[in-house]
Each structure stands twice: as C-alpha cells, then as structure tokens.
Amino acid sequence: MTLARVAARTPDGQTLFSDLTLALGRERVGLVGRNGSGKTTLLRLIAGLAEPVDGVVTHAGRVAWLAQRADPAPSETVAGTLGVADAQAVIARILAGDGGPGDLDAADWGLDDRVSAALAEVGLAGLDLARPTASLSGGEQTRLRLAALLLDPPDLLVLDEPTNHLDRKGRAQIAALLARWPGGAIVASHDRALLRSMDRIVELSSLGVAVHGGGYDFYAGRKAAERAAAERDLDAARREATAAAREGQKALERKARRDRAGRAFAMKKSEPKILLGAMAERAENSGAREGRLTERRIEAAEAGLASARTRVERGRPMDLQLPSTGLAAGRMVLTLEQASWSTPDGRNILRPVSLALTGPERLAVTGSNGAGKSTLLRVMAGDLEPTSGRVNRPVAAALLDQDAALLRSGETLLEACRRLNPGLDVNAAYAALARFLFRNAAANKPVEALSGGERLRAALACVTGGDHPPQLLILDEPTNHLDLDSITVIEAALRDYDGALVVVSHDPDFLRAIGMDRTLAL
C-alpha cells in the first residue's frame, strides 16, 4: 500500500503530520514518536479506519488492524472474540442433526484446525473457546485478538503497541510471530527489543516524518548523531548572530563618531565649502556601504539561526532529578518472612516470599502474567496485609502503578500534590511540581489531561515532593504507557536516585539502564 502526501490533524485543527509519503510492502516497519505525535492516527489511516485531511491512501491488499486496547463485553467468549461463534454454531447444528440446507452450504470444516493453529501461533494453544474473554489477563486478550487476525491472514498487519501488558514470554511470542510473518507489518511500539527486529523505523516528530533503514539500534545511533549535529549547528548559528549584532552595534558607533568629528571639523570653517562637501559625500557613501554590508551579515546570520532552529526537535528530552532521600547504606529497608496473600474465598494469589532489602538496593521482580507480581508490590507497600507471614517496613515507601492511580481524575496536579502532602502550603506545592517541570500554569493542569509520561512524572513529583521523600520506591510496569523519549528521562532519573528500588518490568532494556542489583523471579 502507499500513502502520498498525506496530512492529518487533531479535532481542534492542530496538524499532526503533513506531506507524508510512504510505501509499505512485505516488510516489518516500526513506528515511533512521542505520545501525541499522531502514531495511532497514522495507523488508523493505513488501516482504512479514518480519512486523511489531505493526500491519498491507496490499499493494494487486505489490511488487518489490532487496536491497543479493546474491552470485551461481559458475555463475550473466546470464540466470540475470534469471530468464529456463528461458524461453530453451524457445525454444531449439523452434527446434532438439526442443520438445514443453508448450514450445509455454510459449514467450514477446516475451522477447528485453523483456530488451533492461530491460538498456538500466539502462545494460547488449547484455550477453551467457551471461556469468557474477560477472564483472561490483558496480555492474553491482546494475543487472542491477534489470533483472530491470523484466521484469515491479511496482506498487512497494523499493530498498535501489541506488547503492552505482555510478560517476557508473551513479548517473545509476538516478536517470533512477526519474524515468521510472510506479509507486511507496521507496528507502533516503544518495545526496544521488538523494534530491533524491524526492517525500517518511521519516526513522527516536530521536524516531520523521517524514515530510517534498519532496526532500533541503528535508528537510535543515527538519531543521537543527528540531534548532536543539529545542536552544534544551532550553537554556531547563535554565535554568528550574536557576532553580527555586535558588529552592527560597533558600526553604528563608528558612524556616530565620524559624524561628530565631521561636524566639529566643519565648524572650524578653515576649509573651502566645496572640499567640505566632497568630504561629507565620501563619508556618507562609505558609511552607507558599511551599513549595507553589516545589514546583509545580520540578515544572513538571522536566516541561518532560523534555519538551524528548524532542524532541532521541539520538546527534546528534559533532565529530571529525584530529591535525595538520605538513605544510609546499612539501613534496613524492607523484610518479608514467608509473606503470602490469598483471596477471601481461598484462592492463592501470592505464594510465600522471603527477602530483605538493605540500603539503596535495587530489586527487579519478574514472572509471567498472573504470577502475583502486582500483589507482592502491594504487600510490600502496605496496601495489602499478608494473609500469612510477616512484613516489616521500617522506612517510608511509595508505590506507583502503571496508571499512577494515586492521581485522581477531577483534580489538578496542585490539588493532588497537596492531598498527598498535607504539610505543603500552596507555594511549596508549586515549587515541588516545578522541580518536575510542571511550572506555573502547568501545575493547574487536570490529571485526566496528562499524557502517560506526564502522569508518571506528576506522580513522582507528588510522592517525593514532601519534606521527607520516601526511601523506597516501588514501581509496577512504569514504562507501559511511555514513549521512548519519556522512558529515557525516567531511566536517567532512577539511575541517579539514592533510595531503594523495587521494580516490576518486562522491559530488559529498562532494567539494565537503571542498574538492578538482583532479581526475584515469581
């Protein structure tokens, strides 16, 4: 399929991208960009679910779309999600002897084999088709919806964040599926491991649309080099503009001195008028010539500065620094002694866990979906008390889940910060938010208007903004809703954090970047 000079805008008229030309064939293309850059909009255009405001999208085959999220109806079964419930009912009627002539014509006797193959392809082999879809984990539901696309293989797969909410095994299965996929695929993702397997990377940014051959590592290296070169060019253009302005000021000062000297010389009346007139004309011509040269240099410098600015991406990653906790190296932070948790009806969610954290240790908690990772974090933080065993929490701890649920819709950041830190007055709350780059009016932004990266940054500001920041941060999949630039910012901040960390993440790049000391596998 092809996109020719395509443009898209938000409902309020803001341009997301324009003049986008792209051809998609039998290849794997990764789509990256900041949250809000238009990735999902572009995927919807490619899938034929929306129309561009300008340009043409031409489909030369069948396209299948996998949205980032889809909430199943309470009565929806696995068969319903796969789209085979009606076909199954036809076969069931025939086998029961109740089928009519229409059923015999419509019967798809190869359906069971195709369903089994599709489920096996996404790691759900043997899944009961009568099971309610809502009973599956978020990651299992994503894989099930992908299996539905494979039942009638399309020419182009369009996938929006397919590995979000998946454990490492699920992520590996998606990557393996795409590696074997014989058709085309375009995938919006911040999963760096998945992006490494792409044939091309398409980036949406404030500079427009850029296409990079190769996978993520090549893209990241080239992006860093281009950003550094653009910054160097901008610095050089600023220096030239400053020098040209300084030279222009000096030229004005020289002309003023010459004019004063000329007027003083003329007042002496010791030279013939004709000579004075010729001298004045020469001075005027010389000054005009110098002025034109200076103006041209200033104009060229300003044009160069404007051009250099257009090559530097707006909204570049910012620096973020978590406040010091003062945690001593030998301080006991957390202990669990055979701590477990079960539901009131006796279902065992978390098996007994024993561990001890001392000083600024960093613990990664891993395990498949449903292994009890989030439950363990809530037990560590004190949101849940263990149903057996003991937990000792001698230092203040803060738990941030992937949705930063401690922030409430309907309140502003300033209100959230003061609710979570009752001792802060308004000015102190403004200052705490400003340290996390929510300055002035941004502090009054509604929580529900925040992007994924802003939401995590705001939550960190609120939990660390008090007089005594928590010495233990507990993070549950903190990168799930972040774009690549936001992940880089959070990685740098956590790398320099001097407190203890417990982190659940299926992103090995993230765990390596923040320097985990050990791993607890559930």
Side-chain angles (χ1 to χ4, degrees):
M1 70 168 301
T2 59
L3 296 87
R5 304 183 69 84
V6 166
R9 298 191 187 99
T10 61
D12 61 2
Q14 178 185 350
T15 297
L16 291 170
F17 50 82
S18 61
D19 201 28
L20 187 156
T21 297
L22 183 66
L24 298 171
R26 292 182 179 275
E27 59 181 339
R28 293 158 299 172
V29 177
L31 180 61
V32 301
R34 291 209 175 106
N35 292 338
S37 63
K39 298 188 299 296
T40 297
T41 298
L42 176 56
L43 293 186
R44 288 176 58 81
L45 292 175
I46 292 171
L49 300 175
E51 293 294 327
V53 296
D54 199 8
V56 177
V57 179
T58 304
H59 295 88
R62 205 171 67 81
V63 179
W65 154 259
L66 181 71
Q68 187 174 151
R69 186 179 180 89
D71 295 322
S75 60
E76 185 175 330
T77 64
V78 168
T81 303
L82 288 171
V84 300
D86 290 342
Q88 276 192 319
V90 168
I91 294 174
R93 284 197 297 272
I94 293 172
L95 294 178
D98 298 327
D103 289 336
L104 292 173
D105 292 337
D108 182 355
W109 298 104
L111 179 65
D112 287 347
D113 289 340
R114 294 205 313 280
V115 167
S116 296
L119 290 175
E121 186 77 10
V122 298
L124 296 175
L127 185 64
D128 183 359
L129 300 189
R131 180 174 171 177
T133 299
S135 70
L136 302 176
S137 69
E140 288 170 331
Q141 289 183 33
T142 298
R143 285 186 280 154
L144 177 62
R145 290 187 290 117
L146 183 54
L149 304 184
L150 303 181
L151 286 173
D152 185 10
D155 298 289
L156 178 68
L157 282 173
V158 181
L159 311 180
D160 193 3
E161 297 287 359
T163 60
N164 256 12
H165 308 292
L166 296 191
D167 56 25
R168 290 194 185 189
K169 182 180 178 182
R171 288 182 174 216
Q173 287 165 334
I174 298 296
L177 185 154
L178 286 173
R180 296 190 299 268
W181 181 247
I186 181 165
V187 185
S189 181
H190 62 258
D191 182 342
R192 287 165 285 191
L194 181 63
L195 291 172
R196 286 189 182 98
S197 67
M198 297 292 109
D199 300 307
R200 285 194 292 166
I201 301 291
V202 174
E203 180 191 29
L204 300 181
S205 75
S206 64
L207 301 180
V209 181
V211 180
H212 302 265
Y216 174 78
D217 291 332
F218 179 81
Y219 153 76
R222 186 165 181 175
K223 172 83 171 176
E226 289 175 352
R227 180 174 283 162
E231 293 282 5
R232 288 194 300 271
D233 290 346
L234 181 59
D235 287 342
R238 283 175 177 148
R239 289 194 298 270
E240 172 59 20
T242 300
R246 192 181 298 119
E247 181 58 33
Q249 182 61 36
K250 288 180 179 178
L252 290 174
E253 292 171 356
R254 286 196 298 270
K255 184 178 185 304
R257 287 196 297 270
R258 286 197 302 268
D259 290 346
R260 285 195 299 271
R263 286 193 296 271
F265 183 75
M267 290 178 65
K268 293 179 181 179
K269 299 181 180 179
S270 58
E271 300 293 339
K273 287 185 177 180
I274 190 169
L275 178 61
L276 291 173
M279 292 172 64
E281 184 178 356
R282 283 196 302 272
E284 184 176 343
N285 291 338
S286 175
R289 201 163 42 246
E290 183 180 26
R292 286 194 296 272
L293 291 172
T294 301
E295 285 176 6
R296 281 199 291 270
R297 182 183 177 187
I298 291 174
E299 289 172 359
E302 289 177 346
L305 180 57
S307 176
R309 282 180 175 143
T310 65
R311 296 192 296 273
V312 175
E313 187 175 350
R314 295 188 300 274
R316 290 161 291 168
M318 72 291 285
D319 292 326
L320 194 66
Q321 190 169 12
L322 296 175
S324 175
T325 67
L327 179 61
R331 179 82 160 102
M332 181 59 69
V333 173
L334 177 73
T335 58
L336 281 76
E337 300 176 10
Q338 292 294 298
S340 67
W341 191 84
S342 301
T343 62
D345 61 2
R347 285 189 299 121
N348 189 6
I349 304 300
L350 176 66
R351 297 179 184 278
V353 175
S354 296
L355 63 87
L357 285 181
T358 306
E361 276 195 278
R362 296 173 172 228
L363 174 70
V365 179
T366 65
S368 60
N369 292 339
K373 300 185 298 298
S374 295
T375 300
L376 173 61
L377 297 196
R378 294 185 65 194
V379 168
M380 288 178 168
D383 287 357
L384 290 176
E385 287 300 323
T387 49
S388 65
R390 293 193 303 169
V391 180
N392 183 29
R393 313 177 189 90
V395 305
L399 168 63
L400 299 184
D401 62 20
Q402 56 189 280
D403 297 314
L406 56 82
L407 303 176
R408 299 172 181 168
S409 294
E411 65 182 354
T412 66
L413 294 187
L414 186 66
E415 291 166 343
C417 188
R418 295 196 68 196
R419 173 175 57 80
L420 295 166
N421 299 280
L424 293 185
D425 61 24
V426 171
N427 289 335
Y430 268 116
L433 291 168
R435 286 195 293 272
F436 284 78
L437 310 177
F438 294 105
R439 299 187 178 97
N440 303 321
N444 291 300
K445 195 171 185 178
V447 164
E448 57 268 26
L450 300 177
S451 69
E454 289 174 327
R455 197 174 180 96
L456 180 59
R457 183 157 43 96
L460 285 170
C462 290
V463 300
T464 64
D467 294 332
H468 304 288
Q471 294 183 319
L472 170 62
L473 273 181
I474 303 172
L475 307 177
D476 191 0
E477 292 288 358
T479 64
N480 250 9
H481 303 297
L482 304 189
D483 55 46
L484 289 168
D485 281 342
S486 297
I487 291 173
T488 300
V489 170
I490 297 301
E491 284 174 348
L494 293 176
R495 193 161 48 238
D496 295 335
Y497 175 62
D498 68 354
L501 277 175
V502 175
V503 182
V504 165
S505 177
H506 297 304
D507 184 348
D509 289 272
F510 177 73
L511 294 176
R512 279 194 297 270
I514 63 177
M516 307 311 289
D517 297 313
R518 56 191 171 115
T519 299
L520 172 65
L522 297 184

